[in-house]
Amino acid sequence: DWGDPIAWNEALADRADEIRDMIAAENTYIYVAGLSQISDPLDEMFAKLVGSAEDWSIRKGELVDQHRWVELLY
């Protein structure tokens, strides 16, 4: 049911191995849209997935520079 909220942090944690593989793949593009309040928690979750906040900052920067990470937050 599209009306039901999902626990996105649990969904990401449940698929951690798959997500790590995807963000390492050259053909992965990530588009994040929604409320700006999601930005910090999303970064924290990805930091856990890749090992540290510093590692995620570097990786996210690479994805942004390659136009493979786009955020539309309001």
Side-chain angles (χ1 to χ4, degrees):
D1 183 351
W2 285 95
D4 293 339
I6 64 164
W8 61 268
N9 55 337
E10 291 176 19
L12 290 175
D14 289 346
R15 294 166 181 84
D17 291 336
E18 180 182 359
I19 293 169
R20 274 190 292 273
D21 291 344
M22 288 174 64
I23 61 174
E26 292 182 12
N27 63 342
T28 297
Y29 291 78
I30 302 160
Y31 180 77
V32 179
L35 299 176
S36 60
Q37 296 96 313
I38 196 70
S39 183
D40 290 340
L42 189 61
D43 281 335
E44 290 170 12
M45 178 57 70
F46 273 96
K48 288 179 186 176
L49 290 175
V50 300
S52 73
E54 183 178 349
D55 290 343
W56 172 239
S57 178
I58 292 167
R59 183 65 185 130
K60 184 178 178 182
E62 293 169 348
L63 292 167
V64 169
D65 289 345
Q66 297 166 2
H67 306 285
R68 295 175 44 214
W69 181 280
V70 177
E71 292 181 3
L72 176 60
L73 302 173
Y74 48 92

